[in-house]
Amino acid sequence: MIINSANLNAIRVGFAATFKKGLGQAPSQYKKIATIVPSSAKENKYGWLGKLPNMRKWIGERVIHGLAEHDYAIKNEPFELTVGVDRDDIKDDNLGVYTPMFEHLGESVGAHPDQLVFTALKEGHLNECFDGQYFFDTDHPVIDEDGNEVTVSNDMGGAGTTWYLLCTARPIKPIIYQEREAAKFVAMDNPTDSNVFMKKEFVYGTEARRNVGYGLWVMAIRSSQTLDAAGYAAARQAMREFKGDHGRPLGLVPNLLVVPPALEGKANKLMKNEQIDGSDNEWKGT
C-alpha cells in the first residue's frame, strides 16, 4: 500500500469504526449504582450533599437552605489508551492483524466507567465522602430529634467476603460518575510526525476526562458478615432505619444486592429460591 493522505485517512476511518464497534460491545452495569453528572469544569463541587432538607410547615418567612454545607469536590482526571501500528504493516497491507486489537481497545474503553464505579464501591471503606468520614464507616455524624450529634454506621463489619446492599431508586445513587470529556478516537498518523520518523510507527488511541466520587452514604450498606438470611436481614433493617438530620425518616428501601463472584451462589439462593433449608424464603426477589 502506498502511504499517502488518502490511504492514511481511510485507515484512520477503518480503525475508528472498529474501535466504535468494540465500544458498543462492552457490558455495562455502572449506571445501576451511579448518578451520572456531566461536568463543564476542572472539578465539580457537591456541597449540597450535606443539605437535603424536608418540607416544613410555613410559619413566618421561608427558611432558605444553602448549598455549601460541605466542601466536597470531584476533580476530573485524564485517561488514555494508545497503540502503535508499524509503518511496514501499512506498506505491506497487513492491517487485518490490528482489527481485533482496535476492537479490544473500544471494549476496554467502554468498560472503563464500570471499573471506576465498582472500584469506588469496593474501596468505599478507604475513601472519604461528603461528611469527611469514609463512605463506609461506623461513625457518620447525624443530628438527632433533640438536636444532638450522634453517629450512625453503614458498615456491618465482619471477617468474611464483603458484599453490598444498595438503594438505587432515588435520584442520588451511592456513587457519582462525573464525565468531563467522553472518550474519543485520536491519531498521530501524519508521515512527518516524529513517532513515524523516529520509530516508523503510526499512533492511534483514545482519551477522556472523568472521575468518580461518592453520593449519599445512607444509600449503601457494606457487610463482611455471612451472606445468609440473618446477615441480609440485618443489613436491610439498618438501611430501613436510617434517618436524616433532626430525625427525618428517609424511607429508604434497598433494592440491589452487589456481590463478588465468590458469593454469586449464595446471592442467587437468597434472592431466587422459594425456600431455604425447608423454610419459606421471605427475601426472594427483594
Side-chain angles (χ1 to χ4, degrees), residues 81-238:
L81 181 58
T82 307
V83 297
V85 175
D86 192 284
R87 183 177 60 189
D88 291 343
D89 284 331
I90 293 178
K91 287 183 176 181
D92 297 338
D93 201 12
N94 188 33
L95 299 178
V97 297
Y98 291 96
T99 299
M101 182 172 68
F102 278 96
E103 193 168 337
H104 174 74
L105 184 98
E107 188 175 4
S108 177
V109 171
H112 188 239
D114 282 80
Q115 294 171 2
L116 290 177
V117 166
F118 284 97
T119 296
L121 182 68
K122 185 177 179 180
E123 296 180 352
H125 64 299
L126 303 174
N127 299 318
E128 292 182 359
C129 63
F130 71 89
D131 64 1
Q133 302 297 122
Y134 295 134
F135 182 68
F136 293 114
D137 213 336
T138 58
D139 54 353
H140 288 285
V142 176
I143 306 299
D144 68 10
E145 293 91 335
D146 300 320
N148 301 313
E149 183 175 289
V150 296
T151 57
V152 178
S153 173
N154 69 334
D155 193 330
M156 306 297 289
T161 303
T162 303
W163 49 277
Y164 307 90
L165 188 61
L166 311 178
C167 176
T168 66
R170 301 291 179 92
I172 305 171
K173 293 181 171 62
I175 307 296
I176 294 173
Y177 175 79
Q178 182 174 290
E179 181 106 298
R180 176 66 178 89
E181 296 178 20
K184 60 182 179 180
F185 190 81
V186 294
M188 286 185 66
D189 58 354
N190 191 315
T192 61
D193 287 338
S194 61
N195 48 287
V196 180
F197 181 80
M198 298 297 294
K199 300 180 180 180
K200 66 179 183 68
E201 188 176 59
F202 291 87
V203 176
Y204 304 87
T206 184
E207 58 189 46
R209 276 205 293 162
R210 53 181 55 145
N211 208 351
V212 293
Y214 297 97
L216 298 175
W217 59 264
V218 293
M219 301 293 182
I221 294 280
R222 175 182 185 267
S223 180
S224 298
Q225 302 285 347
T226 301
L227 180 55
D228 57 14
Y232 176 77
R236 190 176 178 87
Q237 179 180 344

